[in-house]
Amino acid sequence: MAEPIILMQDVHKHFGHVHALQGVSVQVYPAEVVVVLGPSGSGKSTMLRCINHLEAIDRGRIVVDGIPLESAKNINKVRAEVGMVFQLFNLFPHLTALENVVLAQRVVRKRKSRAAEEIARDLLVKVGIPEKADSYPSQLSGGQQQRVAIARALAMQPKIMLFDEPTSALDPEMIKEVLDVMLDLAKEGMTMVVVSHEMGFARAAADRMIFMDEGIIVEEATPEDLYNNPQHERTKLFLSKILP
Amino acid sequence: MASDKVPGSQPSSLTADAAARRRGRMGMAVPWESIPWWGIIILIVGVIVGYSVLTNSYYLDALYFIFDLPWNKDSVGKSAVAETVSVAMALRPGTYTFYAEYLDEDEEVVGRSDVYMIEVPRGAPEVETEPVTTPSETPIQVETSTPTIAGIAPEGVTSVVLYDDFSGQPLRIARRMWTARGVFLTIRVTLLSFAGAMVLGLIFGLMRVSSRSPDLTIHLGRRLLIGLGLIVLILVALPDWRNPTSALMVAIVVEAIMFILPAMPYTISTLYVEVVRGVPMLVIILYMGFAVTPALRNTTDGQLDLRGLPAAIIALSFGYGAYLSEVYRAGIESIPGGQMEAARSLGMSYFQAMRHIILPQAIRVVLPPLGNDFIAMLKDSSLISVIALPEVLQSGRLWISRNFRAFEGFNSVALVYLVMTLLLSLMVRFIERKAALPGK
């Protein structure tokens, strides 16, 4: 297999007295889709946020696309290559949907307005809401907002996409429209790390699943194996609670 | 009434009743409920002011003085001999219209002369020449920038005031208004000081939201090396300090400052806010006007002269910057952390995220308190009268000391401030409405 595009080695992270990550080591290869699940407070979001250095790590080593995450210069370089989608969308409320997708292209990628706008319109078509280009986030439904957020991240043409519980703040009928966009992305060969409990998505798209608890990786397996034949007691206990 | 316009609907008996009752009492229907709050205030103030002004001519005189009217002419010279008047200040090249006003021994205007149009050519020297004696409606060229005008005054005139009349020249009228004392000086001071305070406040506000527990080890080697360079520079510049004790002290102080440098922005900003906020505005203005300005003038041999307006603007900006920096800080801290995270995760630097994401949202949040401070500053600009700047209050007091009419004088001053602050309130509301996002 090729070089891993994300490499985490023995990563530790403390929040005050809480030891959120207790030596996590993960490798993600290009075009791989990894779904992370685990109970709340298990460190899954923290792990994701460490990959693009929204959280500084206390110990260990993270290399993204061959760039070690150490100095400030590398961090901005890495962040431009790694798209992130948040649980609460975090759209910029003072900008329209189109401007949300355009802004970072112009500021970070230094693209001309017209080129950036063309890319943005294409991406809004791709996520299925071209008609909402001039709406403000407050005028969009949750599902539409999350799709704009995905378009915003894709506009930077990232090599990796991180999803932090992208559907858990959505009404049930809106979850599908967001998952469909994510499935399309997975089929196109995007490298994705997804924190999510959506079993349907995991079964359809995940190459590998990671189960985390109390800051450590408990089990790694294919979706089939993890759902049907979990090895660890904690995994079994957790799955028995979330599976119907 | 809206319900009357809907075809086929019955007019509500309640509203019809109320309208009839109103008509009965007042003789006509007054739509009280559709008059805005400021309309009512203006109505009340208008009635009081209208009554006062109509029954007491001192009000008009005081307001005339406070507005520094007229704006279409300047008095440029006065003569007691009633024959010739020289223009006191050098004129720029151009065409001027002069006329003389005749005063009797009580300083009352008893008449005016014909107009003298004069053209001052480019490069005319500041010399005395033959006086212009004939009134003319077409320009007469003179070879001086301080011309003299002569004529025979009528019987009973004891002095003559020469006026430069620029009624038809909007640019000169605008310049005259901009430099007028009274109301326009207050507006000028407030606008310039508030602009200064907004810039200062933004800088110190940003410094105050910077990290409180910064990483003191970042670029440590580089910083200590720069400190070493500074120590050498200081010792080269100040030979007196080239002894072991002094050199050691310099080294310790410089390196200590370089070490805590990453923590400096927050510390400096907090120091500024706490100190300036704790000192009365009046003290800051007096300090600036009577301590700092003379000191700067002395140490620079008169090169740096901040007397008058600059001192006032610096003092007000500096004082209000402290309040505004806290306003900005509140605005910035009110924006959810997710916004900064989203911007940073797109690869923006801290300052790009501030400029494009955080500040545009924070400004909308702080518009009401900013407007509040703007109005407060307009009123506090009256404090600069203590360094002898003739703004509204100082003009009013000057008028009172000449006319001995304290009620009329202070009422006029209060009225002028009230009208200005009401207009500002309206402007702030308008800006808030314009800046509001849809759906908010």
Side-chain angles (χ1 to χ4, degrees):
Chain A
M1 217 167 189
E3 283 286 297
I5 193 163
I6 303 173
L7 176 71
M8 297 179 92
Q9 278 177 345
D10 191 31
V11 171
H12 288 257
K13 171 75 190 172
H14 296 261
F15 292 110
H17 295 297
V18 181
H19 200 169
L21 294 182
Q22 309 180 7
V24 170
S25 298
V26 180
Q27 293 175 8
V28 180
Y29 294 91
E32 204 179 16
V33 176
V34 177
V35 171
V36 185
L37 79 173
S40 105
S42 61
K44 14 182 233 307
S45 286
T46 306
M47 184 189 86
L48 210 61
R49 292 157 61 84
C50 286
I51 295 176
N52 68 353
H53 208 274
L54 285 180
E55 304 290 355
I57 60 173
D58 297 331
R59 215 175 87 198
R61 187 160 172 265
I62 301 180
V63 182
V64 176
D65 195 25
I67 310 166
L69 282 192
E70 272 136 28
S71 72
K73 261 182 205 162
N74 285 346
I75 288 154
N76 279 335
K77 226 189 259 177
V78 166
R79 279 179 181 149
E81 305 298 334
V82 181
M84 181 140 186
V85 175
F86 299 87
Q87 181 177 5
L88 297 174
F89 330 133
N90 293 357
L91 285 184
F92 307 133
H94 62 300
L95 302 175
T96 63
L98 188 74
E99 289 164 346
N100 261 279
V101 185
V102 164
L103 182 68
Q105 298 187 57
R106 288 188 33 218
V107 174
V108 180
R109 290 276 191 238
K110 310 285 179 207
R111 287 186 191 133
K112 295 267 175 287
S113 296
R114 184 173 292 181
E117 214 166 277
E118 245 169 58
I119 293 172
R121 286 197 191 278
D122 287 348
L123 283 169
L124 288 179
V125 170
K126 181 171 172 164
V127 299
I129 40 172
E131 74 283 1
K132 297 289 184 190
D134 297 321
S135 301
Y136 283 87
S138 61
Q139 298 165 322
L140 300 176
S141 73
Q144 289 167 338
Q145 287 191 54
Q146 194 58 296
R147 286 188 280 163
V148 174
I150 294 173
R152 178 177 72 177
L154 288 176
M156 303 299 289
Q157 288 155 341
K159 294 181 177 156
I160 303 161
M161 285 284 282
L162 308 176
F163 293 84
D164 189 2
E165 309 204 28
T167 57
S168 50
L170 296 177
D171 288 342
E173 74 265 30
M174 292 170 187
I175 290 177
K176 189 174 175 302
E177 62 190 45
V178 172
L179 289 182
D180 285 347
V181 172
M182 290 168 63
L183 273 174
D184 286 345
L185 264 184
K187 273 181 208 146
E188 285 167 21
M190 175 66 78
T191 310
M192 293 163 67
V193 182
V194 184
V195 172
S196 174
H197 296 156
E198 293 296 332
M199 196 168 67
F201 174 79
R203 281 188 193 280
D207 298 306
R208 187 150 55 97
M209 296 196 70
I210 293 175
F211 175 72
M212 284 183 76
D213 194 14
E214 289 174 0
I216 55 166
I217 292 176
V218 177
E219 193 167 346
E220 269 189 76
T222 62
E224 290 303 311
D225 287 347
L226 193 88
Y227 282 124
N228 301 334
N229 191 16
Q231 299 296 309
H232 288 259
E233 278 309 311
R234 274 192 277 180
T235 321
K236 283 178 197 166
L237 189 68
F238 177 74
L239 289 175
S240 72
K241 284 177 190 162
I242 66 158
L243 292 182
Chain B
M1 212 111 317
S3 62
D4 294 348
K5 286 178 192 152
V6 180
S9 78
Q10 292 282 328
S12 144
S13 63
L14 200 70
T15 33
D17 205 33
R21 236 182 300 131
R22 262 204 314 264
R23 220 170 286 133
R25 199 181 302 148
M26 310 287 296
M28 59 170 186
V30 178
W32 291 111
E33 64 276 12
S34 62
I35 296 177
W37 63 272
W38 47 270
I40 291 170
I41 293 176
I42 287 173
L43 209 70
I44 294 169
V45 172
V47 166
I48 296 170
V49 169
Y51 178 78
S52 310
V53 167
L54 284 177
T55 54
N56 184 340
S57 64
Y58 280 104
Y59 278 108
L60 269 188
D61 195 51
L63 288 171
Y64 196 85
F65 191 80
I66 290 171
F67 275 86
D68 196 12
L69 283 161
W71 297 326
N72 62 344
K73 59 181 182 182
D74 268 337
S75 141
V76 287
K78 191 172 178 181
S79 161
V81 290
E83 275 173 1
T84 59
V85 185
S86 295
V87 175
M89 286 202 311
L91 302 171
R92 295 164 185 223
T95 308
Y96 293 83
T97 308
F98 293 101
Y99 69 85
E101 231 168 52
Y102 304 131
L103 308 179
D104 63 10
E105 54 199 2
D106 298 328
E107 297 276 299
E108 293 290 329
V109 178
V110 291
R112 53 178 286 181
S113 73
D114 293 328
V115 301
Y116 297 75
M117 258 185 112
I118 285 171
E119 192 190 335
V120 177
R122 205 166 281 281
E126 210 174 306
V127 291
E128 234 176 273
T129 54
E130 284 294 298
V132 177
T133 50
T134 43
S136 163
E137 300 273 340
T138 53
I140 297 170
Q141 188 148 349
V142 291
E143 294 305 325
T144 173
S145 62
T146 53
T148 306
I149 289 164
I152 309 296
E155 204 68 19
V157 171
T158 55
S159 60
V160 172
V161 178
L162 188 66
Y163 281 101
D164 167 13
D165 181 356
F166 43 88
S167 302
Q169 294 167 271
L171 265 178
R172 286 200 65 194
I173 292 176
R175 195 187 314 140
R176 172 69 176 69
M177 285 166 79
W178 180 245
T179 54
R181 57 171 169 72
V183 172
F184 282 97
L185 180 60
T186 289
I187 291 174
R188 194 149 54 116
V189 165
T190 309
L191 284 180
L192 292 175
S193 305
F194 200 71
M198 293 234 306
V199 173
L200 270 183
L202 184 60
I203 292 170
F204 282 99
L206 284 173
M207 280 161 71
R208 222 157 127 78
V209 294
S210 63
S211 178
R212 240 156 273 193
S213 50
D215 182 3
L216 290 176
T217 63
I218 197 162
H219 303 315
L220 183 62
R222 209 183 299 173
R223 278 188 282 123
L224 295 183
L225 221 68
I226 293 171
L228 213 62
L230 282 177
I231 295 166
V232 170
L233 273 179
I234 290 171
L235 292 183
V236 166
L238 301 167
D240 292 354
W241 290 8
R242 276 183 225 150
N243 58 69
T245 335
S246 303
L248 190 67
M249 287 302 294
V250 168
I252 289 173
V253 169
V254 169
E255 289 296 1
I257 290 175
M258 293 309 287
F259 177 67
I260 59 163
L261 206 60
M264 291 294 253
Y266 175 79
T267 314
I268 291 172
S269 174
T270 306
L271 192 73
Y272 165 68
V273 169
E274 295 300 345
V275 168
V276 173
R277 201 168 51 171
V279 175
M281 200 65 228
L282 187 56
V283 176
I284 296 175
I285 290 170
L286 288 170
Y287 189 77
M288 187 68 210
F290 295 125
V292 176
T293 303
L296 282 177
R297 239 164 69 81
N298 288 341
T299 50
T300 61
D301 290 328
Q303 292 294 304
L304 188 61
D305 188 357
L306 300 175
R307 279 179 305 173
L309 203 58
I313 290 170
I314 291 171
L316 281 172
S317 305
F318 190 70
Y320 265 82
Y323 294 99
L324 292 195
S325 83
E326 286 295 88
V327 169
Y328 279 115
R329 181 168 74 92
I332 291 167
E333 287 179 354
S334 77
I335 305 302
Q339 291 289 313
M340 180 55 94
E341 285 185 357
R344 299 303 303 271
S345 79
L346 288 166
M348 287 187 212
S349 69
Y350 179 82
F351 285 103
Q352 286 171 335
M354 266 291 166
R355 148 118 175 61
H356 295 285
I357 307 301
I358 308 297
L359 286 180
Q361 296 183 56
I363 286 287
R364 288 179 169 86
V365 175
V366 301
L367 272 180
L370 272 188
N372 200 33
D373 277 342
F374 195 16
I375 289 168
M377 182 182 250
L378 181 84
K379 294 187 293 172
D380 271 1
S381 71
S382 62
L383 294 173
I384 65 170
S385 59
V386 297
I387 53 172
L389 278 168
E391 42 66 68
V392 172
L393 178 61
Q394 183 71 1
S395 297
R397 296 183 64 179
L398 205 61
W399 182 87
I400 291 167
S401 68
R402 284 183 191 174
N403 295 275
F404 305 108
R405 308 293 296 199
F407 268 110
E408 286 85 345
F410 285 124
N411 280 349
S412 302
V413 167
L415 175 75
V416 166
Y417 278 115
L418 184 62
V419 170
M420 285 198 289
T421 51
L422 283 176
L423 289 177
L424 265 188
S425 294
L426 287 178
M427 202 180 82
V428 169
R429 272 162 189 256
F430 175 77
I431 293 172
E432 275 172 42
R433 215 173 307 142
K434 281 277 150 193
L437 294 172
K440 287 247 165 139

